[in-house]
Amino acid sequence: MEEQFPAARVAAYIRVSTQEQAIRGLSIAAQTEALDAWVQKNGLDLVDHYVDAGVSARKPVSRRPELQRLLADVRAGKIDLIIFTKIDRWFRAVSAYYAVQEILEAHKVAWRTIHEEYDTSTASGRLKVNIMLSVAQDEADRTSERIKAVFDAKRERREPLSGNAPTGYRIDGKKLVKDEGAEEAVNAFFRKFLASGSVSEAQAYVLEKCRFSIGYPLAVKMLASPAYCGFYYGVEGMCPSYISREEFEKIQSMRERTVRKAKEERVYLFSGLVVCGACGHRMGGRTGTRSGTPFYNCPNHYARKTCGNGVNLSEGKIASQLLDALDRELARYRIEFCRLRDGGRGRNYSSEAAAVRVKLSRLKELYLHELISLEEYRKDQEPLEARLEALAAEARAAQAPDFSQVEAPLSQGWRAVYCGLDRRSQRDFWRLLLREVRVFPDRSVGFDLAV
């Protein structure tokens, strides 16, 4: 005997995860067809389809946009009944199910699956729902663990986890390699940004020199991605690098102090480099209304009244102090490096790291062969991965800094060359040499070289 329904406003909820898109019977089209046929057969009024495509049932409700829209319509009193093909299309976690169920009950909205039988009006029916959701949640947990184990193995072999590659790379076999068609443009993009600190200038430079267009969203993504220094999917050496780790870190620092376009196309020599020596806030460049002389001051002092550094230091005086100190500071850096190098001499960081990776590999084998639990695996994995990171940091500290970036501009006669540059080129000179400039309340200037 067919079930009879009173006239009702029905919402059809459809969900597929990325992996399920191609599985027969779980596609959006298959679910939509089945739900529409059920509504027509029972003579009901379909309000709308709510389709969460490429969304896992494990995601919280807040990250399922169509479910959010459905609940908004429930609260607005537009829906009497929600239908879906199977309960795992709705939820795979008991806690999330009951959080939504409270909303449905408060607005007297029922739900049902068209391919399964559930009756939530009885204790045994509610128990069945709990059991099925628990089974679905356990299945999802096991699948997630298996996928994570597969991905961990791929990371260990330095294999990409998907078929996608960042701009400037391509997949050759099972390895990421540089894309010959984009290599020159990517090199030019990073080189120009490191010199100018300007995304728009780097974009224009690549377009002019390489006839290669890099849109702004892509440019920002490239600058923020550690893949370009070889660190991808959380693994060092996953792909060949375009920039060094030090250059990547410098880019992140530069992005925090973005060079903004000044009014009337003014060029400030130290835009984005100068910070307050008292509070650490970035100092903004200004131009005197009468003198027309560029100067820098701390917004925390003049606008917010939270800093005691009231210095207004002209660009010329900052440049003068820097020019007088550059050669001396480079010599000091060299002495400091020799001290650090001698302190770490004799250690084989690669060998120590390799030993830790062997332990991680053995630990993973124990877990995959179910000789230890997931909890035991994670407990031992975390300190080993922390040790790897610490070794990498110590190895970087003991490596010779790349002085070439500052040595080249500071060749013999560099000061006369600098004085002959236009303002934009002088700005690029400082951005190439310096990581940061600090202006102190006594009007003195400190700085860090970009090494």
Side-chain angles (χ1 to χ4, degrees), residues 15-246:
R15 185 196 63 77
V16 288
S17 68
T18 304
Q19 288 115 335
E20 293 167 336
Q21 296 275 7
I23 298 177
R24 185 174 180 83
L26 291 180
S27 69
I28 292 173
Q31 291 182 62
T32 302
E33 182 180 351
L35 293 170
D36 286 351
W38 188 89
V39 170
Q40 185 176 3
K41 176 183 176 182
N42 289 282
L44 302 177
D45 178 22
L46 180 64
V47 175
D48 201 353
H49 298 98
Y50 300 80
V51 184
D52 274 323
V55 176
S56 167
R58 300 298 307 279
K59 283 191 175 180
V61 175
S62 60
R63 295 181 61 188
R64 292 165 69 173
E66 284 294 275
L67 179 56
Q68 286 288 312
R69 185 169 72 89
L70 172 56
L71 293 177
D73 286 347
V74 166
R75 294 185 180 97
K78 299 178 181 179
I79 295 168
D80 301 310
L81 175 68
I82 300 170
I83 60 171
F84 31 90
T85 55
K86 295 183 178 181
I87 198 167
D88 63 1
R89 300 301 90 202
W90 187 231
F91 284 107
R92 285 190 176 182
V94 178
S95 58
Y97 163 75
Y98 276 107
V100 170
Q101 186 63 21
E102 285 184 13
I103 298 173
L104 302 187
E105 290 176 357
H107 293 84
K108 296 181 173 55
V109 174
W111 62 263
R112 71 160 294 141
T113 63
I114 65 170
H115 294 331
E116 298 167 330
E117 291 296 331
Y118 290 100
D119 179 7
T120 55
S121 64
T122 66
S124 61
R126 290 191 292 272
L127 176 61
K128 181 181 178 183
V129 171
N130 278 340
I131 292 172
M132 292 303 295
L133 285 172
S134 297
V135 170
Q137 182 172 339
D138 180 67
E139 180 184 342
D141 288 341
R142 289 178 179 274
T143 300
S144 177
E145 289 171 15
R146 286 196 297 270
I147 292 172
K148 184 179 183 302
V150 170
F151 282 176
D152 285 346
K154 283 191 170 187
R155 287 188 181 95
E156 193 170 321
R157 297 192 297 267
R158 304 297 192 272
E159 295 177 6
L161 307 190
S162 73
N164 298 322
T167 299
Y169 294 96
R170 62 181 177 84
I171 297 175
D172 183 10
K174 293 185 177 181
K175 297 294 181 182
L176 281 164
V177 298
K178 289 185 178 180
D179 180 0
E180 298 84 354
E183 184 175 355
E184 181 186 1
V186 173
N187 278 323
F189 172 75
F190 281 110
R191 186 169 63 248
K192 184 61 177 178
F193 181 83
L194 283 164
S196 68
S198 169
V199 176
S200 59
E201 286 190 25
Q203 288 175 278
Y205 180 79
V206 171
L207 187 60
E208 178 185 353
K209 298 293 183 181
C210 307
R211 297 292 186 268
F212 194 94
S213 177
I214 299 177
Y216 185 80
L218 175 59
V220 171
K221 185 177 180 180
M222 289 171 65
L223 293 171
S225 174
Y228 293 95
C229 64
F231 188 77
Y232 195 40
Y233 295 124
V235 178
E236 196 75 55
M238 176 66 81
C239 53
S241 60
Y242 279 93
I243 55 177
S244 67
R245 169 72 71 163
E246 291 73 21

Side-chain angles (χ1 to χ4, degrees), residues 345-359:
R345 183 171 289 166
R347 287 191 65 180
N348 189 334
Y349 293 102
S350 297
S351 177
E352 290 183 48
V356 176
R357 290 192 187 97
V358 169
K359 291 181 180 180

